[in-house]
Amino acid sequence: MAKGYLKIKVSTASGALPISNAVVLVKDSQGHIIYNLQTDVDGITKNISLNTKDASLSLNPNENSVPYTVYNVHVSAPNFAEAHINGIQIFDGIYSTLPVDIYPSSGLNDDSSSIISIDDNNLLSSTSSNSSDDYQPTNILKDVIIPDKITVHLGRYNKYATNVTIPFVDYIKNVASSEIYPTWPVNAIIANVHAQISFALNRVYTEWYPTQGYNFNITSLPANDQAYNHGRNIFTNISLIVDEIFNVFIQREGHKEPYISQFCNGTTSTCAGLSQWGSVSLANKGYNPINILKYYYPDDIKLIKSYNIESIGPSFSEILLREGSKGDDVLTLQTQLNRIRTDFPGIPEINNPNGSFLSDTTSAVKVFQSVFNLVPDGIVGRATWNLVSRVYVAISKLSELDGEGEIIGISSTPPTSVLKLNSKGTDVLRLQHILDYISLFRVEIPSVLENSFFDARTKNSVIAFQSTYKLTIDGIVGPSTWKKLYSVYHNFKSTVDVPEPSTPDTLYPPYPGYVLKVGSKGPFVTSMQLLLNDIAKVYDDIPNLSTDGIFGNGTKSSVVAFQSKFGLVADGIVGLATWNKIIEVHKYNGSFEPSVPYPNHILKVGSRGGDVMIMQEYLNVVSTVYPTIKRMVPDGIFGNGTKSSVISFQSKFALVPDGIIGKMTWDKIVDERNMIVFNRKSNITDFSSHTISNNQTSNYNINLLLMFLLFRKFGARR
């Protein structure tokens, strides 16, 4: 008998956290248990083989029988709501993955099991996909974008139904798995995927549904748009194709918008657009994807690749990263993989994330690719880069929200205020934080902006929450809604363990893995400039330089002077020997005064660069003494996690807790970090004396200054 293959991936928080040791039962359509499985540390079961029908049935347009076999899956884990997925489709010779995202139990005996029933493949339906509509939108976006996420309405556009917001790439994988057969020739699959992408992007570009007053981008029904089955299994060969071409769409010559690419199965329903079964026939005749599309659509169509991706992750340079690669992109990749490893421990650690792509990075990339259903080749192209970025952002957001709740002040007792549209204030911020946290686990509840203003987006999220938990649906937060919000939030937080990021406890940055010379830019140049400026306070013949992260002639002169003084080749290039010598000299001669000048501009959420990285590194040092200040990955990106740490610092040291680094906050962070460094270098382990009263401050600073001057006079020049 023919065999197909399936593995189940169990997670929570929209895939950000794997659930290990979950029990997975695979049953046939009569309810008989065929497999009893457990997930591994990364939340994944082994691949299992399942009996199915011969592939020939899925290649014949005149075949009347269903060409696949369906199975059911039941997933359970302690403290999580159970999940039932019915109708999983298994094809001959095809591997597929079933992603199961379970949510924590609220602990109130009101969590029914989630039940997902997968519809038959749309090829078996007589309904034509994306039939034309009379409505003409009046609004179009200025530019064609590839959305990071898309909101899908799980029902008819003019009827109440749940909305889910998911990554665009996952939406296309689901549509392709629901609209065509994975056994088809690859060129037929690619042509159909291009049509599905183009149609969805046209809906986004024209703002088709929002201009009609709806809060979604597209529906799940083929009669209105194209088939989408939330929670279905995804075929691996289709998934790999989508990863490579999710940003390629159809466009007509002289037109800006993605082409509205109608299609139908071509047997039980026909239309003016692409015939899905006809694409199989053309592929078998040797047609490539663009020629298949031109057979059904106008001759002036072309395939356009867009890099205008509205994503919250860092952009991809389009240069493949592999063993031997070096630079900031590699460092970003390594930093993110090590953070992801905290949650997915099967990924091996990159021991020295320094921007040099060595064998340990290759190993980490390969395991990541295996965990997330990519080709495990150890090479980072756009598909791997985007997925690393997506997972990292999801994990980081969960960690940030986990810590921000303490700062906002979410106690065990709900507020007594009544909030509604246009309300403002701290309670609105608490509401938005709770909704944003819950939205990571319940995809039917949309995320919100934490801006302390009860806007339409917040109201939509409140309505979705009330609908999910069977409350009065009015968009108003009164006593009953507050009570349920707090109960769900606290039970979710008590169930979900969010691992802390693992950052090395070091006062000095590692060698970046590549030489720094004239023309180099970035945070490693900034770090090196800061160290040299500190050393220049002791050695007058080493000139000061601008700490701008740009290796210009001034930086070269300072490096040459340093190399000459300490017996190195004076070539003005910072390689491993020079880098290590700079650190060695700084350990003995570094200043304990505020040594990092304020950059003359504030740092806040959205800021990026070397100045942000310095503050992150300094705050991490301060956090070793004050654990209420959360550690973070020093990536040079000022996100909500960095803001949380800044607020904690400001609160600790009686500054305005606004999460913005101005001159007062900058100088205080530098002061505290330098004091800790001084105490460590002096082998002072009791930090209790560091907290001193105001009337002691003057004498304390005088003593510190005397110690520093003595150190300069007798300990620096050897």
Side-chain angles (χ1 to χ4, degrees), residues 460-502:
N460 288 334
S461 188
V462 170
I463 288 173
F465 177 85
Q466 291 171 328
S467 173
T468 300
Y469 288 97
K470 300 177 176 58
L471 301 169
T472 301
I473 303 173
D474 55 10
I476 298 173
V477 182
S480 59
T481 300
W482 271 125
K483 181 179 179 181
K484 178 63 76 172
L485 281 163
Y486 265 59
S487 297
V488 173
Y489 173 76
H490 284 299
N491 277 285
F492 278 18
K493 287 202 69 173
S494 65
T495 300
V496 178
D497 180 27
V498 182
E500 288 290 326
S502 55

mmCIF file of all heavy atoms in Angstrom, residues 460-502:
data_model
loop_
_atom_site.group_PDB
_atom_site.id
_atom_site.type_symbol
_atom_site.label_atom_id
_atom_site.label_comp_id
_atom_site.label_asym_id
_atom_site.label_seq_id
_atom_site.Cartn_x
_atom_site.Cartn_y
_atom_site.Cartn_z
ATOM 1 N N ASN A 460 -11.524 46.454 19.021
ATOM 2 C CA ASN A 460 -11.648 45.195 18.274
ATOM 3 C C ASN A 460 -11.065 44.028 19.057
ATOM 4 O O ASN A 460 -11.607 42.917 19.056
ATOM 5 C CB ASN A 460 -10.960 45.312 16.913
ATOM 6 C CG ASN A 460 -11.721 46.183 15.940
ATOM 7 O OD1 ASN A 460 -12.945 46.325 16.042
ATOM 8 N ND2 ASN A 460 -11.016 46.786 14.996
ATOM 9 N N SER A 461 -9.932 44.277 19.728
ATOM 10 C CA SER A 461 -9.304 43.217 20.515
ATOM 11 C C SER A 461 -10.158 42.858 21.726
ATOM 12 O O SER A 461 -10.300 41.678 22.075
ATOM 13 C CB SER A 461 -7.904 43.660 20.964
ATOM 14 O OG SER A 461 -7.210 42.597 21.565
ATOM 15 N N VAL A 462 -10.749 43.867 22.378
ATOM 16 C CA VAL A 462 -11.642 43.607 23.511
ATOM 17 C C VAL A 462 -12.842 42.780 23.063
ATOM 18 O O VAL A 462 -13.239 41.804 23.729
ATOM 19 C CB VAL A 462 -12.112 44.932 24.150
ATOM 20 C CG1 VAL A 462 -13.226 44.672 25.165
ATOM 21 C CG2 VAL A 462 -10.947 45.635 24.828
ATOM 22 N N ILE A 463 -13.430 43.136 21.929
ATOM 23 C CA ILE A 463 -14.582 42.394 21.406
ATOM 24 C C ILE A 463 -14.207 40.939 21.131
ATOM 25 O O ILE A 463 -14.952 40.012 21.461
ATOM 26 C CB ILE A 463 -15.127 43.079 20.133
ATOM 27 C CG1 ILE A 463 -15.828 44.394 20.512
ATOM 28 C CG2 ILE A 463 -16.077 42.161 19.366
ATOM 29 C CD1 ILE A 463 -16.253 45.228 19.328
ATOM 30 N N ALA A 464 -13.026 40.733 20.534
ATOM 31 C CA ALA A 464 -12.580 39.362 20.256
ATOM 32 C C ALA A 464 -12.373 38.588 21.552
ATOM 33 O O ALA A 464 -12.708 37.405 21.644
ATOM 34 C CB ALA A 464 -11.293 39.391 19.433
ATOM 35 N N PHE A 465 -11.806 39.244 22.567
ATOM 36 C CA PHE A 465 -11.620 38.591 23.866
ATOM 37 C C PHE A 465 -12.968 38.218 24.474
ATOM 38 O O PHE A 465 -13.157 37.101 24.978
ATOM 39 C CB PHE A 465 -10.857 39.515 24.820
ATOM 40 C CG PHE A 465 -10.675 38.945 26.198
ATOM 41 C CD1 PHE A 465 -9.620 38.097 26.485
ATOM 42 C CD2 PHE A 465 -11.573 39.240 27.218
ATOM 43 C CE1 PHE A 465 -9.449 37.545 27.750
ATOM 44 C CE2 PHE A 465 -11.420 38.703 28.488
ATOM 45 C CZ PHE A 465 -10.354 37.858 28.750
ATOM 46 N N GLN A 466 -13.906 39.148 24.449
ATOM 47 C CA GLN A 466 -15.226 38.879 25.021
ATOM 48 C C GLN A 466 -15.920 37.735 24.284
ATOM 49 O O GLN A 466 -16.573 36.886 24.906
ATOM 50 C CB GLN A 466 -16.078 40.150 24.964
ATOM 51 C CG GLN A 466 -15.592 41.246 25.910
ATOM 52 C CD GLN A 466 -16.292 42.570 25.685
ATOM 53 O OE1 GLN A 466 -16.681 42.904 24.563
ATOM 54 N NE2 GLN A 466 -16.460 43.345 26.759
ATOM 55 N N SER A 467 -15.772 37.689 22.968
ATOM 56 C CA SER A 467 -16.377 36.605 22.192
ATOM 57 C C SER A 467 -15.731 35.263 22.525
ATOM 58 O O SER A 467 -16.415 34.249 22.705
ATOM 59 C CB SER A 467 -16.230 36.901 20.698
ATOM 60 O OG SER A 467 -16.659 35.814 19.921
ATOM 61 N N THR A 468 -14.393 35.253 22.634
ATOM 62 C CA THR A 468 -13.661 34.015 22.924
ATOM 63 C C THR A 468 -14.047 33.440 24.279
ATOM 64 O O THR A 468 -14.192 32.222 24.428
ATOM 65 C CB THR A 468 -12.145 34.280 22.871
ATOM 66 O OG1 THR A 468 -11.792 34.739 21.562
ATOM 67 C CG2 THR A 468 -11.358 33.016 23.187
ATOM 68 N N TYR A 469 -14.226 34.314 25.267
ATOM 69 C CA TYR A 469 -14.497 33.849 26.631
ATOM 70 C C TYR A 469 -15.962 34.021 27.038
ATOM 71 O O TYR A 469 -16.280 34.047 28.227
ATOM 72 C CB TYR A 469 -13.552 34.548 27.612
ATOM 73 C CG TYR A 469 -12.139 34.038 27.467
ATOM 74 C CD1 TYR A 469 -11.209 34.725 26.692
ATOM 75 C CD2 TYR A 469 -11.744 32.838 28.048
ATOM 76 C CE1 TYR A 469 -9.920 34.240 26.523
ATOM 77 C CE2 TYR A 469 -10.460 32.349 27.884
ATOM 78 C CZ TYR A 469 -9.555 33.049 27.128
ATOM 79 O OH TYR A 469 -8.282 32.564 26.949
ATOM 80 N N LYS A 470 -16.848 34.146 26.018
ATOM 81 C CA LYS A 470 -18.301 34.092 26.222
ATOM 82 C C LYS A 470 -18.790 35.144 27.221
ATOM 83 O O LYS A 470 -19.574 34.860 28.133
ATOM 84 C CB LYS A 470 -18.720 32.688 26.651
ATOM 85 C CG LYS A 470 -18.381 31.612 25.622
ATOM 86 C CD LYS A 470 -18.746 30.213 26.098
ATOM 87 C CE LYS A 470 -18.488 29.179 25.013
ATOM 88 N NZ LYS A 470 -17.102 29.126 24.542
ATOM 89 N N LEU A 471 -18.311 36.371 27.040
ATOM 90 C CA LEU A 471 -18.773 37.507 27.816
ATOM 91 C C LEU A 471 -19.724 38.347 26.964
ATOM 92 O O LEU A 471 -19.859 38.124 25.758
ATOM 93 C CB LEU A 471 -17.581 38.372 28.254
ATOM 94 C CG LEU A 471 -16.503 37.679 29.100
ATOM 95 C CD1 LEU A 471 -15.279 38.574 29.218
ATOM 96 C CD2 LEU A 471 -17.042 37.325 30.479
ATOM 97 N N THR A 472 -20.356 39.317 27.559
ATOM 98 C CA THR A 472 -21.189 40.245 26.800
ATOM 99 C C THR A 472 -20.314 40.999 25.807
ATOM 100 O O THR A 472 -19.317 41.633 26.193
ATOM 101 C CB THR A 472 -21.885 41.237 27.736
ATOM 102 O OG1 THR A 472 -22.684 40.513 28.664
ATOM 103 C CG2 THR A 472 -22.763 42.206 26.953
ATOM 104 N N ILE A 473 -20.658 40.948 24.530
ATOM 105 C CA ILE A 473 -19.819 41.533 23.483
ATOM 106 C C ILE A 473 -20.251 42.974 23.241
ATOM 107 O O ILE A 473 -21.170 43.255 22.451
ATOM 108 C CB ILE A 473 -19.901 40.705 22.184
ATOM 109 C CG1 ILE A 473 -19.491 39.255 22.461
ATOM 110 C CG2 ILE A 473 -19.011 41.317 21.104
ATOM 111 C CD1 ILE A 473 -19.691 38.331 21.279
ATOM 112 N N ASP A 474 -19.601 43.908 23.944
ATOM 113 C CA ASP A 474 -19.935 45.316 23.782
ATOM 114 C C ASP A 474 -18.701 46.209 23.590
ATOM 115 O O ASP A 474 -18.836 47.414 23.387
ATOM 116 C CB ASP A 474 -20.748 45.815 24.984
ATOM 117 C CG ASP A 474 -20.035 45.571 26.319
ATOM 118 O OD1 ASP A 474 -18.849 45.187 26.298
ATOM 119 O OD2 ASP A 474 -20.675 45.767 27.361
ATOM 120 N N GLY A 475 -17.497 45.631 23.681
ATOM 121 C CA GLY A 475 -16.281 46.421 23.508
ATOM 122 C C GLY A 475 -15.984 47.344 24.667
ATOM 123 O O GLY A 475 -15.119 48.219 24.565
ATOM 124 N N ILE A 476 -16.694 47.163 25.786
ATOM 125 C CA ILE A 476 -16.499 47.976 26.981
ATOM 126 C C ILE A 476 -15.884 47.103 28.076
ATOM 127 O O ILE A 476 -16.331 45.978 28.304
ATOM 128 C CB ILE A 476 -17.828 48.583 27.467
ATOM 129 C CG1 ILE A 476 -18.410 49.510 26.383
ATOM 130 C CG2 ILE A 476 -17.636 49.342 28.776
ATOM 131 C CD1 ILE A 476 -19.797 50.008 26.699
ATOM 132 N N VAL A 477 -14.870 47.625 28.748
ATOM 133 C CA VAL A 477 -14.190 46.858 29.791
ATOM 134 C C VAL A 477 -14.738 47.289 31.143
ATOM 135 O O VAL A 477 -14.366 48.332 31.696
ATOM 136 C CB VAL A 477 -12.667 47.063 29.737
ATOM 137 C CG1 VAL A 477 -11.976 46.221 30.804
ATOM 138 C CG2 VAL A 477 -12.130 46.698 28.355
ATOM 139 N N GLY A 478 -15.666 46.488 31.661
ATOM 140 C CA GLY A 478 -16.229 46.698 32.981
ATOM 141 C C GLY A 478 -15.772 45.614 33.922
ATOM 142 O O GLY A 478 -14.827 44.867 33.626
ATOM 143 N N PRO A 479 -16.443 45.458 35.085
ATOM 144 C CA PRO A 479 -15.989 44.505 36.111
ATOM 145 C C PRO A 479 -15.839 43.072 35.614
ATOM 146 O O PRO A 479 -14.831 42.417 35.911
ATOM 147 C CB PRO A 479 -17.077 44.617 37.184
ATOM 148 C CG PRO A 479 -17.631 45.990 37.014
ATOM 149 C CD PRO A 479 -17.580 46.280 35.549
ATOM 150 N N SER A 480 -16.807 42.551 34.867
ATOM 151 C CA SER A 480 -16.733 41.147 34.438
ATOM 152 C C SER A 480 -15.606 40.930 33.434
ATOM 153 O O SER A 480 -14.905 39.916 33.480
ATOM 154 C CB SER A 480 -18.073 40.696 33.847
ATOM 155 O OG SER A 480 -18.426 41.491 32.731
ATOM 156 N N THR A 481 -15.416 41.883 32.504
ATOM 157 C CA THR A 481 -14.329 41.747 31.524
ATOM 158 C C THR A 481 -12.972 41.894 32.199
ATOM 159 O O THR A 481 -12.033 41.142 31.908
ATOM 160 C CB THR A 481 -14.482 42.775 30.395
ATOM 161 O OG1 THR A 481 -15.736 42.570 29.734
ATOM 162 C CG2 THR A 481 -13.365 42.635 29.366
ATOM 163 N N TRP A 482 -12.859 42.881 33.135
ATOM 164 C CA TRP A 482 -11.610 43.022 33.878
ATOM 165 C C TRP A 482 -11.266 41.731 34.623
ATOM 166 O O TRP A 482 -10.124 41.262 34.597
ATOM 167 C CB TRP A 482 -11.709 44.145 34.905
ATOM 168 C CG TRP A 482 -11.320 45.517 34.442
ATOM 169 C CD1 TRP A 482 -12.080 46.655 34.510
ATOM 170 C CD2 TRP A 482 -10.073 45.919 33.850
ATOM 171 N NE1 TRP A 482 -11.388 47.727 34.006
ATOM 172 C CE2 TRP A 482 -10.149 47.313 33.600
ATOM 173 C CE3 TRP A 482 -8.909 45.246 33.518
ATOM 174 C CZ2 TRP A 482 -9.106 48.033 33.027
ATOM 175 C CZ3 TRP A 482 -7.855 45.953 32.944
ATOM 176 C CH2 TRP A 482 -7.960 47.329 32.696
ATOM 177 N N LYS A 483 -12.250 41.142 35.296
ATOM 178 C CA LYS A 483 -12.014 39.934 36.084
ATOM 179 C C LYS A 483 -11.499 38.803 35.199
ATOM 180 O O LYS A 483 -10.535 38.107 35.546
ATOM 181 C CB LYS A 483 -13.297 39.512 36.788
ATOM 182 C CG LYS A 483 -13.141 38.273 37.663
ATOM 183 C CD LYS A 483 -14.456 37.920 38.353
ATOM 184 C CE LYS A 483 -14.296 36.665 39.210
ATOM 185 N NZ LYS A 483 -15.586 36.294 39.866
ATOM 186 N N LYS A 484 -12.153 38.628 34.042
ATOM 187 C CA LYS A 484 -11.726 37.552 33.143
ATOM 188 C C LYS A 484 -10.345 37.847 32.558
ATOM 189 O O LYS A 484 -9.500 36.946 32.438
ATOM 190 C CB LYS A 484 -12.760 37.357 32.035
ATOM 191 C CG LYS A 484 -12.391 36.291 31.014
ATOM 192 C CD LYS A 484 -12.283 34.912 31.633
ATOM 193 C CE LYS A 484 -13.644 34.332 31.909
ATOM 194 N NZ LYS A 484 -13.554 32.916 32.335
ATOM 195 N N LEU A 485 -10.081 39.091 32.168
ATOM 196 C CA LEU A 485 -8.768 39.459 31.634
ATOM 197 C C LEU A 485 -7.661 39.120 32.624
ATOM 198 O O LEU A 485 -6.645 38.513 32.262
ATOM 199 C CB LEU A 485 -8.732 40.957 31.309
ATOM 200 C CG LEU A 485 -9.386 41.408 30.008
ATOM 201 C CD1 LEU A 485 -9.646 42.913 30.034
ATOM 202 C CD2 LEU A 485 -8.525 41.044 28.807
ATOM 203 N N TYR A 486 -7.839 39.505 33.869
ATOM 204 C CA TYR A 486 -6.820 39.257 34.889
ATOM 205 C C TYR A 486 -6.669 37.760 35.166
ATOM 206 O O TYR A 486 -5.548 37.256 35.351
ATOM 207 C CB TYR A 486 -7.160 40.011 36.174
ATOM 208 C CG TYR A 486 -6.465 41.351 36.260
ATOM 209 C CD1 TYR A 486 -6.671 42.311 35.282
ATOM 210 C CD2 TYR A 486 -5.583 41.636 37.287
ATOM 211 C CE1 TYR A 486 -6.030 43.540 35.337
ATOM 212 C CE2 TYR A 486 -4.931 42.867 37.362
ATOM 213 C CZ TYR A 486 -5.160 43.819 36.369
ATOM 214 O OH TYR A 486 -4.507 45.027 36.426
ATOM 215 N N SER A 487 -7.766 37.040 35.196
ATOM 216 C CA SER A 487 -7.684 35.597 35.455
ATOM 217 C C SER A 487 -6.924 34.886 34.345
ATOM 218 O O SER A 487 -6.025 34.073 34.605
ATOM 219 C CB SER A 487 -9.094 35.011 35.584
ATOM 220 O OG SER A 487 -9.769 35.562 36.686
ATOM 221 N N VAL A 488 -7.268 35.186 33.099
ATOM 222 C CA VAL A 488 -6.605 34.535 31.964
ATOM 223 C C VAL A 488 -5.131 34.920 31.928
ATOM 224 O O VAL A 488 -4.243 34.074 31.761
ATOM 225 C CB VAL A 488 -7.303 34.910 30.645
ATOM 226 C CG1 VAL A 488 -6.521 34.386 29.451
ATOM 227 C CG2 VAL A 488 -8.731 34.356 30.617
ATOM 228 N N TYR A 489 -4.853 36.205 32.095
ATOM 229 C CA TYR A 489 -3.468 36.699 32.039
ATOM 230 C C TYR A 489 -2.591 36.015 33.091
ATOM 231 O O TYR A 489 -1.520 35.477 32.786
ATOM 232 C CB TYR A 489 -3.468 38.205 32.234
ATOM 233 C CG TYR A 489 -2.099 38.836 32.371
ATOM 234 C CD1 TYR A 489 -1.275 39.015 31.261
ATOM 235 C CD2 TYR A 489 -1.635 39.269 33.610
ATOM 236 C CE1 TYR A 489 -0.025 39.604 31.388
ATOM 237 C CE2 TYR A 489 -0.380 39.860 33.744
ATOM 238 C CZ TYR A 489 0.417 40.023 32.630
ATOM 239 O OH TYR A 489 1.659 40.596 32.752
ATOM 240 N N HIS A 490 -3.030 36.015 34.345
ATOM 241 C CA HIS A 490 -2.204 35.444 35.411
ATOM 242 C C HIS A 490 -2.062 33.933 35.281
ATOM 243 O O HIS A 490 -0.998 33.379 35.583
ATOM 244 C CB HIS A 490 -2.782 35.819 36.775
ATOM 245 C CG HIS A 490 -2.506 37.238 37.169
ATOM 246 N ND1 HIS A 490 -1.234 37.734 37.325
ATOM 247 C CD2 HIS A 490 -3.343 38.285 37.424
ATOM 248 C CE1 HIS A 490 -1.283 39.009 37.666
ATOM 249 N NE2 HIS A 490 -2.555 39.376 37.740
ATOM 250 N N ASN A 491 -3.106 33.249 34.845
ATOM 251 C CA ASN A 491 -2.990 31.805 34.653
ATOM 252 C C ASN A 491 -2.082 31.461 33.486
ATOM 253 O O ASN A 491 -1.321 30.497 33.547
ATOM 254 C CB ASN A 491 -4.375 31.185 34.463
ATOM 255 C CG ASN A 491 -5.074 30.921 35.774
ATOM 256 O OD1 ASN A 491 -4.757 29.987 36.492
ATOM 257 N ND2 ASN A 491 -6.020 31.778 36.111
ATOM 258 N N PHE A 492 -2.147 32.259 32.415
ATOM 259 C CA PHE A 492 -1.235 32.046 31.294
ATOM 260 C C PHE A 492 0.209 32.241 31.756
ATOM 261 O O PHE A 492 1.095 31.446 31.445
ATOM 262 C CB PHE A 492 -1.554 33.013 30.152
ATOM 263 C CG PHE A 492 -2.696 32.569 29.262
ATOM 264 C CD1 PHE A 492 -3.604 31.612 29.687
ATOM 265 C CD2 PHE A 492 -2.861 33.119 28.002
ATOM 266 C CE1 PHE A 492 -4.657 31.209 28.867
ATOM 267 C CE2 PHE A 492 -3.908 32.716 27.173
ATOM 268 C CZ PHE A 492 -4.805 31.767 27.608
ATOM 269 N N LYS A 493 0.460 33.326 32.494
ATOM 270 C CA LYS A 493 1.822 33.619 32.927
ATOM 271 C C LYS A 493 2.360 32.555 33.880
ATOM 272 O O LYS A 493 3.549 32.231 33.856
ATOM 273 C CB LYS A 493 1.883 34.990 33.602
ATOM 274 C CG LYS A 493 1.766 36.163 32.638
ATOM 275 C CD LYS A 493 2.335 37.434 33.223
ATOM 276 C CE LYS A 493 3.826 37.344 33.352
ATOM 277 N NZ LYS A 493 4.460 38.616 33.758
ATOM 278 N N SER A 494 1.487 32.007 34.723
ATOM 279 C CA SER A 494 1.942 30.982 35.661
ATOM 280 C C SER A 494 2.210 29.653 34.968
ATOM 281 O O SER A 494 2.970 28.823 35.464
ATOM 282 C CB SER A 494 0.907 30.784 36.774
ATOM 283 O OG SER A 494 -0.302 30.272 36.248
ATOM 284 N N THR A 495 1.595 29.449 33.801
ATOM 285 C CA THR A 495 1.771 28.194 33.060
ATOM 286 C C THR A 495 2.991 28.229 32.153
ATOM 287 O O THR A 495 3.714 27.246 32.029
ATOM 288 C CB THR A 495 0.517 27.896 32.213
ATOM 289 O OG1 THR A 495 -0.607 27.769 33.074
ATOM 290 C CG2 THR A 495 0.683 26.619 31.408
ATOM 291 N N VAL A 496 3.206 29.383 31.519
ATOM 292 C CA VAL A 496 4.231 29.477 30.485
ATOM 293 C C VAL A 496 5.539 29.955 31.089
ATOM 294 O O VAL A 496 5.601 31.018 31.712
ATOM 295 C CB VAL A 496 3.786 30.434 29.364
ATOM 296 C CG1 VAL A 496 4.889 30.555 28.319
ATOM 297 C CG2 VAL A 496 2.503 29.929 28.725
ATOM 298 N N ASP A 497 6.584 29.171 30.908
ATOM 299 C CA ASP A 497 7.914 29.523 31.388
ATOM 300 C C ASP A 497 8.696 30.109 30.222
ATOM 301 O O ASP A 497 9.011 29.408 29.264
ATOM 302 C CB ASP A 497 8.617 28.281 31.940
ATOM 303 C CG ASP A 497 10.018 28.599 32.443
ATOM 304 O OD1 ASP A 497 10.247 29.750 32.830
ATOM 305 O OD2 ASP A 497 10.858 27.683 32.441
ATOM 306 N N VAL A 498 8.971 31.395 30.303
ATOM 307 C CA VAL A 498 9.723 32.057 29.240
ATOM 308 C C VAL A 498 11.191 32.101 29.640
ATOM 309 O O VAL A 498 11.556 32.809 30.573
ATOM 310 C CB VAL A 498 9.204 33.490 29.001
ATOM 311 C CG1 VAL A 498 9.965 34.136 27.855
ATOM 312 C CG2 VAL A 498 7.710 33.461 28.710
ATOM 313 N N PRO A 499 12.061 31.338 28.965
ATOM 314 C CA PRO A 499 13.480 31.318 29.353
ATOM 315 C C PRO A 499 14.131 32.676 29.165
ATOM 316 O O PRO A 499 13.801 33.416 28.239
ATOM 317 C CB PRO A 499 14.091 30.277 28.400
ATOM 318 C CG PRO A 499 12.937 29.486 27.886
ATOM 319 C CD PRO A 499 11.777 30.427 27.858
ATOM 320 N N GLU A 500 15.037 33.013 30.053
ATOM 321 C CA GLU A 500 15.787 34.261 29.946
ATOM 322 C C GLU A 500 16.830 34.135 28.843
ATOM 323 O O GLU A 500 17.390 33.061 28.624
ATOM 324 C CB GLU A 500 16.491 34.578 31.263
ATOM 325 C CG GLU A 500 15.562 35.013 32.372
ATOM 326 C CD GLU A 500 14.978 36.390 32.131
ATOM 327 O OE1 GLU A 500 15.675 37.247 31.548
ATOM 328 O OE2 GLU A 500 13.812 36.599 32.509
ATOM 329 N N PRO A 501 17.122 35.244 28.135
ATOM 330 C CA PRO A 501 18.197 35.190 27.144
ATOM 331 C C PRO A 501 19.529 34.946 27.827
ATOM 332 O O PRO A 501 19.768 35.425 28.938
ATOM 333 C CB PRO A 501 18.152 36.585 26.494
ATOM 334 C CG PRO A 501 17.500 37.456 27.502
ATOM 335 C CD PRO A 501 16.523 36.569 28.230
ATOM 336 N N SER A 502 20.358 34.161 27.171
ATOM 337 C CA SER A 502 21.673 33.872 27.748
ATOM 338 C C SER A 502 22.702 34.778 27.088
ATOM 339 O O SER A 502 23.020 34.617 25.920
ATOM 340 C CB SER A 502 22.040 32.406 27.515
ATOM 341 O OG SER A 502 21.963 32.083 26.143
#
